[in-house]
Amino acid sequence: NFLVNNITDLPRVLKVAFYLGRSGRPGPVHIDLPKDVTAALADFDYDKEFDLPTYKPTIKGNKRQIKKAIEAIKNAKKPLIYIGGGAVLSDAGELVREFVDVTKIPAVETLMAKGVLPYNHELNLGMVGMHGTYAANMAMSETDLLISFGARFDDRVTGKLDEFAKDAKIIHIDIDPISISKIVKAHYPIVGDLKNVLDTMLPLAKSEINPENYEYFRSIVKRYDELHPLTYHDSDKVLKPQWVIQKTGEILGDKAIISTDVGQHQMWAAQHYKFDKPNRWMTSGGLGTMG
């Protein structure tokens, strides 16, 4: 948050604001412009360099913590990967998919992570939380190790906190240290850019993790998906919104970028549009207001 008291400060404040807004964990920056500043004139020098000694986002994860996390995954019986919007922001989709394929660990996704793992991937249990799938939520309640890839544990996912993943240890990877253990305690915190952290984790996962260890858990969550798939009651008398969204997805595939307002249609789009790739889904999952 910035208050500009003098017109000569405006170029520096704008440059710093855009830097803060686009680096680390991207987010909004507020600039307060008093009327006398908006009415003033000055030379605009945007090229002048600036220094922010107190703002140095951590990009590389701590190697010791990463090794501890891999050890925890090795010892887990029912690990679950929890993919958040940070996987999209860090452009880590390819590495997330490779990690899932190498370890064969089932995965759930948040509203903001649609497409990071293709909708038809055999280990993608779908969206988790209030509007999520039965299989995703059951997996979350039964896991003994939750591996968070850039997710923030928002209330639509966690619900009642003392019941959330109550039998699980938590590995939380996030570039924003304030987000780690903010809502749910992380037993294995890793601060860093997810893409960078996964670059370090993948070779260790390939050499140390045995995918056969998780066959029992995979069979359970697959059965949940078979027993309670995400469906809706179709009708030959009216056009159901879910059907329209589903068919639109089948026609357009990954050629389209889908944008929504917030509300029921947003949830239908998240549930029934078949996202194959990240960055095809533009919606508000945190700063949206109704109306």
Side-chain angles (χ1 to χ4, degrees), residues 45-65:
D45 181 9
Y46 198 70
D47 296 327
K48 192 173 179 181
E49 293 301 317
F50 63 88
D51 184 38
L52 289 177
T54 59
Y55 179 72
K56 303 289 181 190
T58 301
I59 303 301
K60 292 185 177 181
N62 184 290
K63 287 186 179 179
R64 190 163 56 183
Q65 286 296 97

Side-chain angles (χ1 to χ4, degrees), residues 10 20 28 59 66 81 117 131 144 157 164 203 242 244 268 272:
L10 186 58
L20 290 173
I59 303 301
I66 290 172
I81 294 170
L117 210 57
H131 300 280
D144 62 357
V157 168
F164 173 73
Q242 300 96 316
V244 173
W268 281 332
H272 299 287

Side-chain angles (χ1 to χ4, degrees), residues 155-281:
D155 60 354
R156 299 300 170 100
V157 168
T158 63
K160 193 177 177 184
L161 283 172
D162 57 3
E163 291 292 319
F164 173 73
K166 59 182 181 297
D167 298 322
K169 299 288 186 184
I170 310 284
I171 296 171
H172 193 174
I173 306 168
D174 204 295
I175 197 168
D176 183 4
I178 294 172
S179 290
I180 293 179
S181 292
K182 179 181 177 182
I183 308 294
V184 175
K185 183 191 173 187
H187 302 87
Y188 304 94
I190 302 173
V191 179
D193 177 73
L194 180 61
K195 190 174 185 179
N196 198 292
V197 172
L198 283 175
D199 250 338
T200 306
M201 286 183 79
L202 258 172
L204 295 171
K206 288 175 181 176
S207 63
E208 297 187 34
I209 291 174
N210 182 2
E212 291 182 12
N213 291 346
Y214 318 128
E215 179 57 41
Y216 169 70
F217 190 47
R218 285 197 297 270
S219 65
I220 289 175
V221 293
K222 186 178 180 183
R223 188 70 179 136
Y224 284 142
D225 207 20
E226 291 168 353
L227 288 171
H228 301 281
L230 186 64
T231 57
Y232 57 91
H233 296 293
D234 204 356
S235 168
D236 56 1
K237 297 178 181 177
V238 295
L239 273 177
K240 287 277 186 149
Q242 300 96 316
W243 184 90
V244 173
I245 288 167
Q246 190 175 306
K247 291 299 175 185
T248 303
E250 289 172 11
I251 293 166
L252 296 177
D254 62 10
K255 296 184 180 72
I257 293 174
I258 303 302
S259 177
T260 72
D261 191 359
V262 291
Q264 181 63 72
H265 71 283
Q266 179 190 33
M267 294 302 109
W268 281 332
Q271 291 165 342
H272 299 287
Y273 194 94
K274 301 182 187 304
F275 290 97
D276 270 342
K277 295 179 181 176
N279 292 307
R280 301 294 189 273
W281 171 236

